[in-house]
Amino acid sequence: MRITRVLGAALLTLGLAAGPAAADSTPSASPSEDDAAPTSAGTSFRTATEIDQGRTATASASAGDYLYWSFPADIGQRPTVRATVKLPAEHAAQTWQIDVYDGLRRRQACQYGAQTRTADAGTASVELACVLRTVRAWSEPWANDPLPGTYYLRLTAVDVPTADLGQPVAAEVRVESKDIGGAAAVDGRLAEPLVPGVAVASRQDEDDSGVSAVLSGIEPDDGWSSGWWSDRWVWTAAGAVLAALAGIGGYALTRGSGRPRHVPPNA
């Protein structure tokens, strides 16, 4: 009975510990469909159109234009950027490309995905995709690791015949993320996410200057992560509890009844 109670307590503890981790890994609810999705794109980093993850943004443009959007990415997320370009009925072969930059405007490499594709003559549309590396809480100054903050998506045609320049095209972009969790957790964190103008805004808040100078106001629905918490703390605590209970159970099994053995008197 004692061993049964010990095992029951261990399972209960593990279930309670795993509960928060399972809740954290659940994808957040998509934004309300009542919120209008952006229908235009910027033409530079400074004029990039802000979009939320999980929403499809559209834009009408001309072949040869540079289209920019920005989106937030937080610690532990692995963003996937997808773009679809609808082409005119008649056109020559065109090559389209998507590039992603972080808050410091450093180009981020794609782990996998068709970042560049060529649409043959007469093709109705071309689809592009880029899966980024997992966003880290902290990185060495010399590294090019993706860090929390604003990310920029640039869509453009890199090889368009002169006769096709200026032809109308329609673009759709969508950003979604997979929550990697504690598997990507590191020690340390940034003082502030890499959001354009956030350092200026912080100084103004300290000086009570008034107006904020943040250039990008978009952020995750539940705010930016602090960087110190991850589900690895839950599993570490659960492992420690299970190890302690296993030690108690092993001691209970090996120590015996505790009564002294009967020694027959010497004949």
Side-chain angles (χ1 to χ4, degrees):
M1 294 295 293
R2 178 178 300 175
I3 299 303
T4 302
R5 290 195 299 269
V6 171
L7 293 178
L11 292 175
L12 178 61
T13 303
L14 180 60
L16 293 176
D24 290 342
S25 61
T26 302
S28 59
S30 59
S32 171
E33 294 297 332
D34 295 336
D35 297 336
T39 57
S40 63
T43 57
S44 66
F45 286 103
R46 292 184 61 87
T47 61
T49 298
E50 298 178 350
I51 59 175
D52 291 313
Q53 291 195 30
R55 301 302 305 275
T56 300
T58 59
S60 297
S62 301
D65 291 344
Y66 284 85
L67 307 179
Y68 287 82
W69 293 268
S70 65
F71 63 91
D74 206 359
I75 299 168
Q77 292 184 340
R78 180 180 293 167
T80 298
V81 177
R82 303 184 187 277
T84 301
V85 182
K86 298 179 181 179
L87 304 173
E90 296 182 2
H91 64 84
Q94 300 180 6
T95 300
W96 288 79
Q97 179 174 307
I98 53 174
D99 297 290
V100 182
Y101 301 83
D102 65 8
L104 298 178
R105 299 186 185 180
R106 302 176 303 180
R107 185 176 181 273
Q108 293 295 316
C110 301
Q111 281 189 312
Y112 49 89
Q115 183 181 6
T116 302
R117 270 190 171 176
T118 299
D120 295 332
T123 303
S125 64
V126 58
E127 296 183 355
L128 308 167
C130 174
V131 180
L132 299 175
R133 294 173 294 166
T134 303
V135 178
R136 296 163 55 90
W138 180 83
S139 176
E140 296 287 348
W142 46 263
N144 194 36
D145 296 320
L147 297 170
T150 299
Y151 282 74
Y152 296 94
L153 162 62
R154 184 178 70 185
L155 173 65
T156 188
V158 295
D159 186 10
V160 180
T162 304
D164 287 346
L165 290 175
Q167 284 192 338
V169 296
E172 293 182 359
V173 296
R174 184 179 181 90
V175 182
E176 296 178 323
S177 289
K178 179 180 179 181
D179 189 2
I180 304 303
V186 295
D187 294 329
R189 66 183 181 91
L190 296 181
E192 296 286 352
L194 298 179
V195 176
V198 70
V200 178
S202 299
R203 289 196 297 269
Q204 287 183 342
D205 291 340
E206 295 175 358
D207 299 338
D208 294 330
S209 301
V211 181
S212 173
V214 176
L215 301 179
S216 177
I218 195 170
E219 65 179 26
D221 293 337
D222 53 354
W224 298 105
S225 299
S226 62
W228 69 272
W229 170 258
S230 69
D231 55 6
R232 70 173 179 172
W233 291 102
V234 175
W235 294 108
T236 301
V241 172
L242 288 177
L245 293 176
I248 295 173
Y251 174 74
L253 287 173
T254 57
R255 73 186 183 96
S257 62
R259 298 177 180 176
R261 296 170 56 186
H262 176 68
V263 180
N266 294 331

